[in-house]
């Protein structure tokens, strides 16, 4: 999953806000994944088990979550994020 990356400000955020492509979006909705927090509880292995989820869709989902989270971080959270990424 996305564990290992500090992801902020996702509480109550619908997966619709990630602007995913149809395949990834429909796959998540079919699996009853409605929010980013739901998504963060799923491992990469479980994402791949969902119908129509391949490498491209899983990569798209991970990138979308990280991008969305980063865009909504304040300065201090971004500082923590980069510390984690660079030193992790």
């Amino acid at each position: 999953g996305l564990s290992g990356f500090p992801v902020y400000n996702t509480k109550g955020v619908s997966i619709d806000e990630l602007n995913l492509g149809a395949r990834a979006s429909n796959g998540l909705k079919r699996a009853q994944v409605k929010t980013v927090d739901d998504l963060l509880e799923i491992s990469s292995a479980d994402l791949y088990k969902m119908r129509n989820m391949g490498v491209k869709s899983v990569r798209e989902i991970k990138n979308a979550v990280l991008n969305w989270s980063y865009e909504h971080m304040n300065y201090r959270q971004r500082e923590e994020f980069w510390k984690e990424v660079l030193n992790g």
Side-chain angles (χ1 to χ4, degrees), residues 33-75:
V33 177
K34 295 183 173 81
T35 67
V36 175
D37 286 336
D38 293 342
L39 186 54
L40 293 174
E41 291 177 19
I42 299 171
S43 69
S44 291
D46 287 338
L47 275 177
Y48 285 115
K49 289 176 192 166
M50 292 179 188
R51 207 168 111 211
N52 289 333
M53 284 289 181
V55 172
K56 199 172 168 186
S57 293
V58 172
R59 188 178 301 135
E60 177 189 357
I61 290 166
K62 288 181 177 183
N63 286 339
V65 170
L66 287 172
N67 287 335
W68 190 94
S69 178
Y70 191 79
E71 284 171 16
H72 293 82
M73 286 180 196
N74 62 36
Y75 177 79

Side-chain angles (χ1 to χ4, degrees), residues 15-16 19-34 47 50-53 57 60-61:
I15 60 162
D16 293 334
N19 297 315
L20 297 167
R23 182 179 291 258
S25 180
N26 291 338
L28 291 175
K29 286 178 180 170
R30 252 196 312 276
Q32 302 298 307
V33 177
K34 295 183 173 81
L47 275 177
M50 292 179 188
R51 207 168 111 211
N52 289 333
M53 284 289 181
S57 293
E60 177 189 357
I61 290 166

